[in-house]
Amino acid sequence: MATLTKESSLKNVEKQTNKKSSKVDDRTELIQREEIKDTPFTMITIDGKSFGAMGGFRLTEQTGSKKEIKKDLEKITWNRLIQVMMIMKTVDEENQNKTNK
């Protein structure tokens, strides 16, 4: 698995996803969400391409294999641990900024 940079691992996916279909460039796009059991992760599939996410943050690269994404998200690795810590830090900082305003 390739190591992801902070920018790519924290890419906001909420703009791309919601629980219903959405229109992009005059075409309808089906978006599916699948919770990964016993993890805080979700597998998001858009037009047959899937990626892993946690909240509004992308964790994996897009691929056509749901099994590969699910297997990757179920593995506990140092890279995944760091990604989760970075996401939690970012969310905490955003919450602090909202509180301070």
Side-chain angles (χ1 to χ4, degrees):
M1 184 175 93
T3 301
L4 301 174
T5 64
K6 180 177 180 180
E7 290 77 24
S8 66
S9 66
L10 296 181
K11 183 175 181 182
N12 190 322
V13 295
E14 287 187 8
K15 291 178 185 173
Q16 298 179 30
T17 63
N18 50 34
K19 294 186 179 189
K20 298 179 182 178
S21 295
S22 62
K23 284 196 161 206
V24 176
D25 300 326
D26 296 328
R27 65 185 178 101
T28 301
E29 191 172 71
L30 179 63
I31 300 171
Q32 300 173 330
R33 293 173 154 253
E34 181 181 333
E35 300 290 323
I36 306 299
K37 187 178 178 181
D38 298 327
T39 73
F41 309 128
T42 304
M43 181 171 34
I44 299 173
T45 305
I46 303 173
D47 286 339
K49 298 282 186 176
S50 300
F51 60 89
M54 180 177 165
F57 300 95
R58 181 181 288 191
L59 294 173
T60 66
E61 297 296 325
Q62 257 185 340
T63 182
S65 171
K66 285 185 174 184
K67 283 185 178 182
E68 184 180 324
I69 296 293
K70 187 173 181 176
K71 183 179 175 185
D72 190 31
L73 291 174
E74 288 175 337
K75 269 193 295 187
I76 299 172
T77 64
W78 283 107
N79 188 44
R80 187 73 62 230
L81 180 65
I82 298 300
Q83 286 177 318
V84 169
M85 290 172 57
M86 288 173 21
I87 289 170
M88 293 180 75
K89 183 177 186 305
T90 301
V91 170
D92 184 52
E93 288 172 354
E94 288 173 358
N95 288 337
Q96 286 180 3
N97 289 339
K98 287 179 185 177
T99 306
N100 292 337
K101 288 185 178 182

